[in-house]
Every structure is written in C-alpha cells, then in structure tokens.
Amino acid sequence: MEYLKKFSSLQERIEARNRITKETGHYWGLRELALNKKDPIKFNRFNSRIVAAVTTARETAKYVSASPSAVSMGELVFGLMTTEGDCMSASLGLVGHSAGFPIIIEKFAKLKYDEKVGINDGDVWDVNDPLYGAVHAADCVTFLPIVYKGEHIGWAAGVNHIGEVGAMIPGSVPTIAPNIFVEGHEYSITKSGENLTYYPWWEEEWRRRTRSGDMAVFDAKMRLAGVVMLRNRILEICEEFGADYVKEAFYEIMERERATMQKILTERTMPGRYSFPFLQPIRYKGKLGDLMPEANKDWLTHWPLEFTLSEGRIKYDLSGSSAEDWHHYNMYEGALKFGLNLGWFFLFLVGENVHTANMYLFDIIRPEGSVTNPANPFVGTPCGAVSGCRVGEGSMFRIIAKSMWAKGFLEETMVFEASDYNIYGMSGVFENGKPWAMSNFSLAGGQATGARAYMDGGVCDAAGNNPESDFGEAEMWETLEPPLLMIMRGMTKDYVAHGRYRGSIGYTLGFVVNQPGKSFQFNDSCAMAEVSQHCLGANGGYPGLAHASLYFKKTNMVELMKKGQYPASLEELNQWFDEGKLTAETVIKYQGETPPIMLEHGDIVVIIAHGVEGWGEPLDRDTHRIVADLNNNFISSTTAEKIYGTVVKREAGGAWKADAKATAEIRGAMRTEREQFAIPVSEWWQEERRHVVNKKFDPLVAEMYDDCITNPQWGKMFRDFWGVDEAYSALPNK
C-alpha cells in the first residue's frame, strides 16, 4: 500500500498520490476497501465516530463566537483531512469550503513549510489569502496537524465568514477592490500559534487591522476551539481503533466516496457536451478617478462553461473567459472549487460524509491570465468567491439538473441562482469617536430556489453557500449594526419570475437609519448586477430578476415614527411615497452592487432580492396556483391578467376566483397575437449576424467579445457560429 510508505517530504507524498490516482483511476490506487470488506460494522462505526467528531466541533465551537452568522446561521465548517490534505469528512455548514483544504495543504507543501518549520504537534496555522487556497479574505481558515505518538496522521481545519476584513470599503466583501492592497487584512499561510494556543500578536493583529477587531478575535478563537476539539477526538479514536487502522480507514473512505460519486454521476446524468454562459457587469468608472487610473473603467466579464460528461468524469472547461483585470471578481482555484463543491452536494450528497473525493472526477481547464486563473498575483479577489458560486455552483447546477432531467429525474430539475442575494457592508464612527464596521449576510443564509419541472420555486428555503443555514435572528443582527432599525422583512409582491411553475417570490429588507453618530456609510455587495446570473429561465419560463436597492435620503420618516407609523412592506412604502405621506429629497436606485453611500438619521434603505427563474410557459400555469398566489398576496391581479392570461375577480369574502371560460379565451388570443410576431430561427440568426458583422454592440459587449475571441478554442466557436473570418474584431475601429 503506497500511502503507508515513508516519503522524504510532504510534497513528494502529494506528488505520489496524484500520480498513482491518475494512473489507476482509484484514490491512491485502492481497488479494494480491505478494512470495510473484513469488518464492515467496525468500519461503519469508525466512520460514524469521525462524522460525530466534525459535527460536534461545529455545533459546540460556534457558541464561542459573538457573531449571528456563526451562532444562529452556522456560517462555519470544520473538516478532517488526510496527511495530503484530502477532506474525507466535514461538518455541515459552509460545506463548499472543504474544497479549499487540499489546496491549502498543497501550498503548504510547495512552500516546504514541513521542512523549514516542521509539522509539530500543537502548532496552529491560519490563512485567508486566495492565492494560497482560501476563498477570499472574509473566509478565514485555521488548521493544525493531528500528531499521534510522534506520527503525523492528518489535519483538522475550520473556516468561517467574518463580518469585517479591514478593507478600503468596509464590511467583509468590499464592492471596490481593484487590487490586494485595498481588499483588507490578508495573510498567506501563517504560523499563528503553538501549544494549541494563539500567539498574543495574532490577536493584536486583528484588533489593529480591522474596524471590528474584537469580533474577529472571537471568530478566530471559535475556529481554534473547533479544530482543537476535532484533534482531540481523533486522538481518542486512535486510542480506540489504533493508528494504523485510522490512517488506512481515512484513505478507504476517500476511495469509497470517490467511487460512489462516480457511480451516481454515471447513473443519473446524460452523457454529452453542454455549454452555459454567465455574464457579470462590473461598474468602476468615475468611482476611483486619478487614485487608481488602471481601474477607472467598466467591464462586462464573460464566464463561459463547456461541460462534458463522459464515463463518469467531467471535463470542466472555462476557455473564453475574460482576461484578468483590476476589479474584485478575479477568482483563484480555491474559490472555483468552493463553488463546485456547493453545487455538487446539493445534487449528489447521499451519505454522512461531506468530502472532497468528488474533485477527483473533474478535469478542470482554467486559462492562465483570465478571471478564472489570474497570472497577476495582485489583482482584486473579494468577489472571487461569488464568481466561484456563479460559474461553479450556478452554471454546473443548471447543466447537471438538465442532464438529470434528460435522464428522467424530474425532481432534480431545479433552476437556481448561486448568489441571488447580497451581503451588505457598513461602517461608521460613533459619537464617542469609536469606529466600527460589520457585514450582514442574512440574505445569503436564506436564499431562494427557482422553479422545478413540477413545482414552484421556494421562498428563502435554501442557502447555496450553506445548506443548513437560515436568515439568523433579526434582533442579533441589529445589535451589530446599531444605526439600522429594521422596519420590513418579508416577501415582495410581484417580484417574481413567471412560468408554468413560477420562481421564488422576492424578499425585501427595509431599515431606517437611527442616530448613526458622526458618520455612517452603507454598501451593497455580491448582488447580481443589472441582469440575472444567466439571463434566462427554463423551458419558456421568465429569467430571474436582478437584485435592487433603494435609498431614500432626507425623509420625514422620524416624524412619522413619532406618530407610531412606518411602512411594513415595499408595497406600502411605495404607496405612501406616491401619496406624499412619505417624503424624500433624494431617491437613489441601484441594480447590483453599490459604492459606499453616506446616510444620515431618518434615511431609509430598502434591499430586494431572491427573484429566481421560472420554468415553462406562463400561459400553461394552472389557474388554481394563480388564485393561491393572489390570495397569498404574492402577485397582483394585473400580473395575473397581463402575464398569465387569467381573468380573476374578488368574491364577497375577499378571496380571489378565476373565470375559467374567460381565461381560456384570453389565453387563446394571447397565443394568436404571439404567432403574428414570431419568426423562424433561421431569420433570427440572419438578423443577429448582421449585428455581429456590422459590429452593432454596446461598447462593453464589443470589448468583451474582442477579448474573449483571442482564446483559440472559444474564438473558433464564435467565428464558426457567426460565419466571420479570422481577422474579425468586435471593436468598431479595428
């Protein structure tokens, strides 16, 4: 058994694993699970012990933190790794982050830290720099070696999303960060303690480098408490089962999970080559001026995915992605695999173990120098995690779901926006001169699901980044964002993607700014900008709705609240504003991310999200479903008529009822009207080709195409499809 051999270094061991796994198609060449075969009951008992260990670490350690993201949302994960860094069991929570653990250990080995510093019992290590395997600066990783009687047998790791990273733009995910020098307190793989205790300087670093240092220290101690608990449990398991058994069982679990994932992938998906695009507008122009002239521009970034399913393996090809540049959406390997793991476990996790064995089924192509694989180590990365979610989780999720639908698995055909939420950041200075900052990611904890082939989308029923999460307690969030008084938290009427099965109902958060002190600024991050993630629904359903935020400045809200009056929904707020009951000198509207916005006492902030795609033709929607949506105040009667072709009226008791005969007539008329405007695809292609040949593009679209066609593979596909020659450029002056 090769994995039991002694190697001269950790790097040599990792290289041997990679070589043998590739040559044999089995993890470390394990064609047979000897321990499991010999005594399956003992093996399952062992597996249950390590699952209990990682679960207990998470469920206990989270109470060390004072953050609602940890305590009530569970935005953390703890994992157990082999000596090479493969995670064979992780807790629930931020499961996608387990995919970063192997990358971190590989970087540790390439830096020769095992030789220069040593793998010593009790040493504590931390990292949050994406170049070294972390997802982004906000997702901080603490890890330590598990050493039993002088032998290194594995690693324990924990990660959580902190609320403030000390960036130029406050919060955890800055909306403007063209380079690493303004994206916060980032650190490469760092020895942060020994004897299972942090160095005093490590805690002082957080207090000195971030605006909410004490909160960051609590989070760090939470991670450390969890990994120490996990280490101790594994040492107890070594005493019970023996170290040799533990080491071999770690590897057998990895191969068992790899083989299980491959079997499920083969059985449930339709082989073939699939393509899916994702576009991300980024708006920097006019925001930085002479400060960072290289970033004083806008982009439309392109993230095309070609996804080939064959013989239980996946070729995951991002050729044609936009070039890296000075913005905050550049994505390293850890962020991509984070997204892949999230989408994967939504679809395929069938046992107790959260793991990284599925990564051995992927052949990933990330063009060097692109946003998916930056060659410049200094470009910005805070939203690389969001990019990973969208192109990893979102694009892959849709492809796999449709592939499973083609195989007949209707239940798995959900359309899903990997980040239909926002994470808003804020900072200020209290009257006593003390600065503070925080991020709120409750909308990320309570995401929505899109429609499926047989049912409507859910409302706040799933978190792509954390399958066990929810919104958290509003009261806990309010204690950490003192100037924001929540006045609305609920579903948004008519903010929905329509279809035979509609998408999720949008969700609104609303706040009044209350006595903010000397200053208060607010920014909205991670939001889908201007278009939904993939710009389409499924099988005729409407596309998802872009994220939106509204800012009412210099209002009369304080006077209204003194009378005990405040709007409890977006619908009521709009009504009051139209009637003149609510006044504001300025109303600022954004779709997508925002720069920092200065707010004062009495200003109002409204955030709207979660309008995920619909499935199927809206005119085929069952009128009983439409009536139910009306009675639940999810849609208006105007929407019922204009979109769904359904004639409704109120009955005496106030409930809605559909007129079946009138509905059939109006739907027939709507279909006939559509036919008058329909054209064959061949004519559509000819018209669109004229736009391409004549370069009738928005400037950002032209720049995007001109960049992406330089990729030989994607460029050939583009030219062949539109019938243009090799010299073609999308720019008008070329």
Side-chain angles (χ1 to χ4, degrees), residues 134-176:
V135 173
H136 58 171
D139 289 318
C140 301
V141 182
T142 300
F143 66 101
L144 49 78
I146 302 173
V147 180
Y148 180 74
K149 294 183 178 181
E151 182 182 7
H152 177 216
I153 63 170
W155 302 86
V159 57
N160 82 297
H161 187 121
I162 67 173
E164 216 286 310
V165 298
M168 176 178 72
I169 306 297
S172 61
V173 189
T175 57
I176 300 175

mmCIF file of all heavy atoms in Angstrom, residues 134-176:
data_model
loop_
_atom_site.group_PDB
_atom_site.id
_atom_site.type_symbol
_atom_site.label_atom_id
_atom_site.label_comp_id
_atom_site.label_asym_id
_atom_site.label_seq_id
_atom_site.Cartn_x
_atom_site.Cartn_y
_atom_site.Cartn_z
ATOM 1 N N ALA A 134 -7.369 29.798 0.066
ATOM 2 C CA ALA A 134 -8.580 30.321 0.691
ATOM 3 C C ALA A 134 -9.528 30.842 -0.392
ATOM 4 O O ALA A 134 -9.147 30.996 -1.552
ATOM 5 C CB ALA A 134 -8.243 31.423 1.686
ATOM 6 N N VAL A 135 -10.758 31.124 -0.003
ATOM 7 C CA VAL A 135 -11.763 31.562 -0.974
ATOM 8 C C VAL A 135 -11.686 33.066 -1.192
ATOM 9 O O VAL A 135 -11.607 33.553 -2.313
ATOM 10 C CB VAL A 135 -13.163 31.125 -0.511
ATOM 11 C CG1 VAL A 135 -14.245 31.713 -1.404
ATOM 12 C CG2 VAL A 135 -13.262 29.608 -0.517
ATOM 13 N N HIS A 136 -11.728 33.826 -0.134
ATOM 14 C CA HIS A 136 -11.467 35.262 -0.150
ATOM 15 C C HIS A 136 -11.142 35.693 1.277
ATOM 16 O O HIS A 136 -11.202 34.883 2.207
ATOM 17 C CB HIS A 136 -12.624 36.076 -0.754
ATOM 18 C CG HIS A 136 -13.935 35.904 -0.071
ATOM 19 N ND1 HIS A 136 -15.035 36.685 -0.346
ATOM 20 C CD2 HIS A 136 -14.364 35.042 0.897
ATOM 21 C CE1 HIS A 136 -16.055 36.310 0.394
ATOM 22 N NE2 HIS A 136 -15.670 35.310 1.150
ATOM 23 N N ALA A 137 -10.805 36.960 1.454
ATOM 24 C CA ALA A 137 -10.283 37.403 2.753
ATOM 25 C C ALA A 137 -11.263 37.193 3.892
ATOM 26 O O ALA A 137 -10.861 37.005 5.042
ATOM 27 C CB ALA A 137 -9.884 38.879 2.671
ATOM 28 N N ALA A 138 -12.560 37.209 3.604
ATOM 29 C CA ALA A 138 -13.558 37.082 4.663
ATOM 30 C C ALA A 138 -13.679 35.665 5.194
ATOM 31 O O ALA A 138 -14.161 35.462 6.313
ATOM 32 C CB ALA A 138 -14.922 37.560 4.162
ATOM 33 N N ASP A 139 -13.261 34.677 4.407
ATOM 34 C CA ASP A 139 -13.366 33.281 4.832
ATOM 35 C C ASP A 139 -12.018 32.831 5.381
ATOM 36 O O ASP A 139 -11.124 32.426 4.632
ATOM 37 C CB ASP A 139 -13.822 32.401 3.673
ATOM 38 C CG ASP A 139 -15.284 32.652 3.330
ATOM 39 O OD1 ASP A 139 -16.096 32.776 4.255
ATOM 40 O OD2 ASP A 139 -15.608 32.737 2.136
ATOM 41 N N CYS A 140 -11.887 32.916 6.696
ATOM 42 C CA CYS A 140 -10.611 32.670 7.361
ATOM 43 C C CYS A 140 -10.507 31.201 7.773
ATOM 44 O O CYS A 140 -11.441 30.641 8.341
ATOM 45 C CB CYS A 140 -10.487 33.561 8.587
ATOM 46 S SG CYS A 140 -10.594 35.319 8.183
ATOM 47 N N VAL A 141 -9.358 30.612 7.491
ATOM 48 C CA VAL A 141 -9.129 29.194 7.749
ATOM 49 C C VAL A 141 -8.094 29.033 8.857
ATOM 50 O O VAL A 141 -7.024 29.650 8.808
ATOM 51 C CB VAL A 141 -8.638 28.465 6.484
ATOM 52 C CG1 VAL A 141 -8.454 26.973 6.758
ATOM 53 C CG2 VAL A 141 -9.600 28.688 5.325
ATOM 54 N N THR A 142 -8.412 28.230 9.846
ATOM 55 C CA THR A 142 -7.472 27.827 10.892
ATOM 56 C C THR A 142 -7.273 26.322 10.776
ATOM 57 O O THR A 142 -8.244 25.581 10.654
ATOM 58 C CB THR A 142 -8.011 28.171 12.285
ATOM 59 O OG1 THR A 142 -8.217 29.591 12.383
ATOM 60 C CG2 THR A 142 -7.050 27.726 13.381
ATOM 61 N N PHE A 143 -6.025 25.866 10.783
ATOM 62 C CA PHE A 143 -5.785 24.432 10.692
ATOM 63 C C PHE A 143 -4.571 24.037 11.530
ATOM 64 O O PHE A 143 -3.713 24.879 11.847
ATOM 65 C CB PHE A 143 -5.625 23.987 9.234
ATOM 66 C CG PHE A 143 -4.412 24.521 8.509
ATOM 67 C CD1 PHE A 143 -3.284 23.735 8.331
ATOM 68 C CD2 PHE A 143 -4.413 25.802 7.980
ATOM 69 C CE1 PHE A 143 -2.179 24.216 7.648
ATOM 70 C CE2 PHE A 143 -3.315 26.296 7.294
ATOM 71 C CZ PHE A 143 -2.193 25.498 7.130
ATOM 72 N N LEU A 144 -4.526 22.796 11.912
ATOM 73 C CA LEU A 144 -3.406 22.281 12.690
ATOM 74 C C LEU A 144 -3.204 20.795 12.395
ATOM 75 O O LEU A 144 -4.132 20.095 11.987
ATOM 76 C CB LEU A 144 -3.608 22.521 14.187
ATOM 77 C CG LEU A 144 -4.918 22.144 14.864
ATOM 78 C CD1 LEU A 144 -4.993 20.650 15.132
ATOM 79 C CD2 LEU A 144 -5.057 22.883 16.199
ATOM 80 N N PRO A 145 -1.968 20.315 12.577
ATOM 81 C CA PRO A 145 -1.704 18.896 12.318
ATOM 82 C C PRO A 145 -2.229 18.027 13.452
ATOM 83 O O PRO A 145 -2.283 18.443 14.609
ATOM 84 C CB PRO A 145 -0.183 18.843 12.237
ATOM 85 C CG PRO A 145 0.275 19.969 13.113
ATOM 86 C CD PRO A 145 -0.752 21.052 12.966
ATOM 87 N N ILE A 146 -2.637 16.810 13.101
ATOM 88 C CA ILE A 146 -3.001 15.813 14.103
ATOM 89 C C ILE A 146 -1.822 14.846 14.198
ATOM 90 O O ILE A 146 -1.498 14.144 13.233
ATOM 91 C CB ILE A 146 -4.286 15.069 13.709
ATOM 92 C CG1 ILE A 146 -5.443 16.064 13.532
ATOM 93 C CG2 ILE A 146 -4.642 14.023 14.761
ATOM 94 C CD1 ILE A 146 -6.712 15.445 12.969
ATOM 95 N N VAL A 147 -1.165 14.857 15.338
ATOM 96 C CA VAL A 147 0.041 14.049 15.546
ATOM 97 C C VAL A 147 -0.231 13.057 16.669
ATOM 98 O O VAL A 147 -0.551 13.454 17.796
ATOM 99 C CB VAL A 147 1.246 14.943 15.891
ATOM 100 C CG1 VAL A 147 2.492 14.094 16.108
ATOM 101 C CG2 VAL A 147 1.484 15.974 14.787
ATOM 102 N N TYR A 148 -0.098 11.783 16.355
ATOM 103 C CA TYR A 148 -0.349 10.725 17.347
ATOM 104 C C TYR A 148 0.953 9.976 17.620
ATOM 105 O O TYR A 148 1.524 9.354 16.726
ATOM 106 C CB TYR A 148 -1.414 9.766 16.829
ATOM 107 C CG TYR A 148 -1.731 8.634 17.789
ATOM 108 C CD1 TYR A 148 -2.474 8.863 18.939
ATOM 109 C CD2 TYR A 148 -1.271 7.341 17.533
ATOM 110 C CE1 TYR A 148 -2.766 7.824 19.815
ATOM 111 C CE2 TYR A 148 -1.555 6.295 18.404
ATOM 112 C CZ TYR A 148 -2.300 6.552 19.545
ATOM 113 O OH TYR A 148 -2.576 5.525 20.429
ATOM 114 N N LYS A 149 1.421 10.108 18.857
ATOM 115 C CA LYS A 149 2.655 9.441 19.282
ATOM 116 C C LYS A 149 3.795 9.724 18.314
ATOM 117 O O LYS A 149 4.516 8.828 17.867
ATOM 118 C CB LYS A 149 2.425 7.941 19.437
ATOM 119 C CG LYS A 149 1.453 7.599 20.572
ATOM 120 C CD LYS A 149 1.287 6.100 20.757
ATOM 121 C CE LYS A 149 0.339 5.821 21.935
ATOM 122 N NZ LYS A 149 0.148 4.356 22.172
ATOM 123 N N GLY A 150 3.920 11.012 17.949
ATOM 124 C CA GLY A 150 5.012 11.457 17.105
ATOM 125 C C GLY A 150 4.798 11.298 15.619
ATOM 126 O O GLY A 150 5.645 11.709 14.816
ATOM 127 N N GLU A 151 3.677 10.705 15.204
ATOM 128 C CA GLU A 151 3.417 10.486 13.776
ATOM 129 C C GLU A 151 2.293 11.395 13.291
ATOM 130 O O GLU A 151 1.218 11.453 13.888
ATOM 131 C CB GLU A 151 3.034 9.021 13.528
ATOM 132 C CG GLU A 151 2.800 8.712 12.057
ATOM 133 C CD GLU A 151 2.384 7.275 11.813
ATOM 134 O OE1 GLU A 151 2.142 6.543 12.789
ATOM 135 O OE2 GLU A 151 2.287 6.889 10.626
ATOM 136 N N HIS A 152 2.567 12.072 12.185
ATOM 137 C CA HIS A 152 1.561 12.947 11.582
ATOM 138 C C HIS A 152 0.559 12.089 10.816
ATOM 139 O O HIS A 152 0.916 11.421 9.836
ATOM 140 C CB HIS A 152 2.244 13.942 10.634
ATOM 141 C CG HIS A 152 1.288 14.835 9.907
ATOM 142 N ND1 HIS A 152 1.494 15.233 8.602
ATOM 143 C CD2 HIS A 152 0.122 15.402 10.294
ATOM 144 C CE1 HIS A 152 0.504 16.006 8.213
ATOM 145 N NE2 HIS A 152 -0.348 16.122 9.223
ATOM 146 N N ILE A 153 -0.706 12.112 11.236
ATOM 147 C CA ILE A 153 -1.708 11.245 10.602
ATOM 148 C C ILE A 153 -2.804 12.024 9.873
ATOM 149 O O ILE A 153 -3.643 11.420 9.194
ATOM 150 C CB ILE A 153 -2.352 10.307 11.631
ATOM 151 C CG1 ILE A 153 -3.112 11.106 12.693
ATOM 152 C CG2 ILE A 153 -1.309 9.402 12.272
ATOM 153 C CD1 ILE A 153 -3.971 10.235 13.592
ATOM 154 N N GLY A 154 -2.836 13.339 9.998
ATOM 155 C CA GLY A 154 -3.875 14.110 9.315
ATOM 156 C C GLY A 154 -3.882 15.556 9.768
ATOM 157 O O GLY A 154 -2.964 16.025 10.454
ATOM 158 N N TRP A 155 -4.932 16.257 9.360
ATOM 159 C CA TRP A 155 -5.094 17.677 9.701
ATOM 160 C C TRP A 155 -6.533 17.921 10.154
ATOM 161 O O TRP A 155 -7.466 17.268 9.677
ATOM 162 C CB TRP A 155 -4.829 18.572 8.495
ATOM 163 C CG TRP A 155 -3.489 18.442 7.850
ATOM 164 C CD1 TRP A 155 -3.122 17.549 6.883
ATOM 165 C CD2 TRP A 155 -2.334 19.254 8.103
ATOM 166 N NE1 TRP A 155 -1.814 17.737 6.509
ATOM 167 C CE2 TRP A 155 -1.304 18.786 7.244
ATOM 168 C CE3 TRP A 155 -2.059 20.325 8.952
ATOM 169 C CZ2 TRP A 155 -0.027 19.357 7.231
ATOM 170 C CZ3 TRP A 155 -0.793 20.891 8.938
ATOM 171 C CH2 TRP A 155 0.207 20.413 8.086
ATOM 172 N N ALA A 156 -6.693 18.905 11.032
ATOM 173 C CA ALA A 156 -8.017 19.406 11.401
ATOM 174 C C ALA A 156 -8.094 20.858 10.960
ATOM 175 O O ALA A 156 -7.146 21.627 11.157
ATOM 176 C CB ALA A 156 -8.247 19.304 12.904
ATOM 177 N N ALA A 157 -9.209 21.238 10.339
ATOM 178 C CA ALA A 157 -9.331 22.608 9.820
ATOM 179 C C ALA A 157 -10.720 23.153 10.101
ATOM 180 O O ALA A 157 -11.703 22.408 10.190
ATOM 181 C CB ALA A 157 -9.063 22.638 8.316
ATOM 182 N N GLY A 158 -10.790 24.465 10.250
ATOM 183 C CA GLY A 158 -12.067 25.148 10.416
ATOM 184 C C GLY A 158 -12.053 26.472 9.679
ATOM 185 O O GLY A 158 -11.003 27.102 9.539
ATOM 186 N N VAL A 159 -13.207 26.875 9.175
ATOM 187 C CA VAL A 159 -13.303 28.133 8.439
ATOM 188 C C VAL A 159 -14.629 28.796 8.758
ATOM 189 O O VAL A 159 -15.640 28.115 8.974
ATOM 190 C CB VAL A 159 -13.156 27.895 6.912
ATOM 191 C CG1 VAL A 159 -14.188 26.917 6.406
ATOM 192 C CG2 VAL A 159 -13.255 29.195 6.121
ATOM 193 N N ASN A 160 -14.620 30.113 8.827
ATOM 194 C CA ASN A 160 -15.884 30.853 8.952
ATOM 195 C C ASN A 160 -15.776 32.179 8.226
ATOM 196 O O ASN A 160 -14.680 32.659 7.917
ATOM 197 C CB ASN A 160 -16.275 31.071 10.415
ATOM 198 C CG ASN A 160 -15.560 32.250 11.041
ATOM 199 O OD1 ASN A 160 -14.330 32.248 11.147
ATOM 200 N ND2 ASN A 160 -16.314 33.248 11.494
ATOM 201 N N HIS A 161 -16.927 32.751 7.931
ATOM 202 C CA HIS A 161 -17.015 34.035 7.244
ATOM 203 C C HIS A 161 -17.089 35.125 8.311
ATOM 204 O O HIS A 161 -18.061 35.203 9.059
ATOM 205 C CB HIS A 161 -18.255 34.062 6.354
ATOM 206 C CG HIS A 161 -18.357 35.263 5.478
ATOM 207 N ND1 HIS A 161 -18.415 35.185 4.101
ATOM 208 C CD2 HIS A 161 -18.430 36.589 5.754
ATOM 209 C CE1 HIS A 161 -18.509 36.401 3.586
ATOM 210 N NE2 HIS A 161 -18.523 37.270 4.574
ATOM 211 N N ILE A 162 -16.064 35.973 8.367
ATOM 212 C CA ILE A 162 -16.050 37.039 9.369
ATOM 213 C C ILE A 162 -16.789 38.269 8.846
ATOM 214 O O ILE A 162 -17.022 38.410 7.640
ATOM 215 C CB ILE A 162 -14.615 37.403 9.795
ATOM 216 C CG1 ILE A 162 -13.841 38.053 8.631
ATOM 217 C CG2 ILE A 162 -13.887 36.164 10.296
ATOM 218 C CD1 ILE A 162 -12.479 38.585 9.031
ATOM 219 N N GLY A 163 -17.152 39.173 9.742
ATOM 220 C CA GLY A 163 -18.000 40.302 9.375
ATOM 221 C C GLY A 163 -17.281 41.536 8.890
ATOM 222 O O GLY A 163 -17.911 42.427 8.313
ATOM 223 N N GLU A 164 -15.946 41.614 9.084
ATOM 224 C CA GLU A 164 -15.223 42.825 8.688
ATOM 225 C C GLU A 164 -13.775 42.458 8.446
ATOM 226 O O GLU A 164 -13.141 41.829 9.283
ATOM 227 C CB GLU A 164 -15.304 43.880 9.796
ATOM 228 C CG GLU A 164 -15.399 45.303 9.297
ATOM 229 C CD GLU A 164 -14.081 45.841 8.737
ATOM 230 O OE1 GLU A 164 -13.045 45.718 9.408
ATOM 231 O OE2 GLU A 164 -14.100 46.396 7.621
ATOM 232 N N VAL A 165 -13.244 42.842 7.272
ATOM 233 C CA VAL A 165 -11.889 42.430 6.911
ATOM 234 C C VAL A 165 -10.888 43.582 6.895
ATOM 235 O O VAL A 165 -9.713 43.368 6.597
ATOM 236 C CB VAL A 165 -11.873 41.725 5.533
ATOM 237 C CG1 VAL A 165 -12.703 40.461 5.575
ATOM 238 C CG2 VAL A 165 -12.347 42.656 4.425
ATOM 239 N N GLY A 166 -11.335 44.803 7.199
ATOM 240 C CA GLY A 166 -10.407 45.917 7.232
ATOM 241 C C GLY A 166 -10.026 46.461 5.869
ATOM 242 O O GLY A 166 -8.946 47.035 5.698
ATOM 243 N N ALA A 167 -10.892 46.311 4.890
ATOM 244 C CA ALA A 167 -10.610 46.790 3.533
ATOM 245 C C ALA A 167 -10.894 48.283 3.410
ATOM 246 O O ALA A 167 -11.440 48.919 4.327
ATOM 247 C CB ALA A 167 -11.455 46.017 2.525
ATOM 248 N N MET A 168 -10.544 48.833 2.249
ATOM 249 C CA MET A 168 -10.838 50.245 1.978
ATOM 250 C C MET A 168 -12.337 50.484 2.064
ATOM 251 O O MET A 168 -12.790 51.480 2.639
ATOM 252 C CB MET A 168 -10.322 50.620 0.592
ATOM 253 C CG MET A 168 -10.638 52.042 0.149
ATOM 254 S SD MET A 168 -9.946 52.446 -1.470
ATOM 255 C CE MET A 168 -11.004 51.474 -2.555
ATOM 256 N N ILE A 169 -13.122 49.583 1.482
ATOM 257 C CA ILE A 169 -14.574 49.617 1.589
ATOM 258 C C ILE A 169 -14.960 48.701 2.752
ATOM 259 O O ILE A 169 -14.553 47.548 2.789
ATOM 260 C CB ILE A 169 -15.256 49.140 0.296
ATOM 261 C CG1 ILE A 169 -14.737 49.939 -0.905
ATOM 262 C CG2 ILE A 169 -16.765 49.241 0.405
ATOM 263 C CD1 ILE A 169 -15.032 51.414 -0.863
ATOM 264 N N PRO A 170 -15.731 49.169 3.714
ATOM 265 C CA PRO A 170 -15.970 48.390 4.931
ATOM 266 C C PRO A 170 -16.835 47.154 4.703
ATOM 267 O O PRO A 170 -17.553 47.038 3.722
ATOM 268 C CB PRO A 170 -16.692 49.391 5.839
ATOM 269 C CG PRO A 170 -17.364 50.337 4.904
ATOM 270 C CD PRO A 170 -16.422 50.475 3.741
ATOM 271 N N GLY A 171 -16.761 46.243 5.658
ATOM 272 C CA GLY A 171 -17.531 45.018 5.613
ATOM 273 C C GLY A 171 -16.648 43.833 5.286
ATOM 274 O O GLY A 171 -15.416 43.885 5.415
ATOM 275 N N SER A 172 -17.261 42.753 4.834
ATOM 276 C CA SER A 172 -16.498 41.536 4.572
ATOM 277 C C SER A 172 -16.202 41.322 3.094
ATOM 278 O O SER A 172 -15.259 40.602 2.756
ATOM 279 C CB SER A 172 -17.258 40.323 5.122
ATOM 280 O OG SER A 172 -18.520 40.184 4.492
ATOM 281 N N VAL A 173 -17.006 41.914 2.201
ATOM 282 C CA VAL A 173 -16.802 41.730 0.755
ATOM 283 C C VAL A 173 -16.850 43.109 0.098
ATOM 284 O O VAL A 173 -17.902 43.558 -0.354
ATOM 285 C CB VAL A 173 -17.869 40.799 0.139
ATOM 286 C CG1 VAL A 173 -17.501 40.451 -1.300
ATOM 287 C CG2 VAL A 173 -18.028 39.523 0.952
ATOM 288 N N PRO A 174 -15.733 43.817 0.048
ATOM 289 C CA PRO A 174 -15.736 45.180 -0.484
ATOM 290 C C PRO A 174 -16.179 45.252 -1.935
ATOM 291 O O PRO A 174 -15.816 44.399 -2.746
ATOM 292 C CB PRO A 174 -14.284 45.641 -0.316
ATOM 293 C CG PRO A 174 -13.498 44.388 -0.154
ATOM 294 C CD PRO A 174 -14.406 43.399 0.494
ATOM 295 N N THR A 175 -16.968 46.278 -2.250
ATOM 296 C CA THR A 175 -17.511 46.420 -3.602
ATOM 297 C C THR A 175 -16.541 47.083 -4.564
ATOM 298 O O THR A 175 -16.745 47.042 -5.771
ATOM 299 C CB THR A 175 -18.808 47.251 -3.566
ATOM 300 O OG1 THR A 175 -18.532 48.521 -2.965
ATOM 301 C CG2 THR A 175 -19.876 46.554 -2.755
ATOM 302 N N ILE A 176 -15.524 47.718 -4.049
ATOM 303 C CA ILE A 176 -14.479 48.301 -4.889
ATOM 304 C C ILE A 176 -13.145 47.845 -4.311
ATOM 305 O O ILE A 176 -12.766 48.249 -3.213
ATOM 306 C CB ILE A 176 -14.547 49.837 -4.926
ATOM 307 C CG1 ILE A 176 -15.900 50.307 -5.480
ATOM 308 C CG2 ILE A 176 -13.409 50.405 -5.765
ATOM 309 C CD1 ILE A 176 -16.098 51.804 -5.430
#
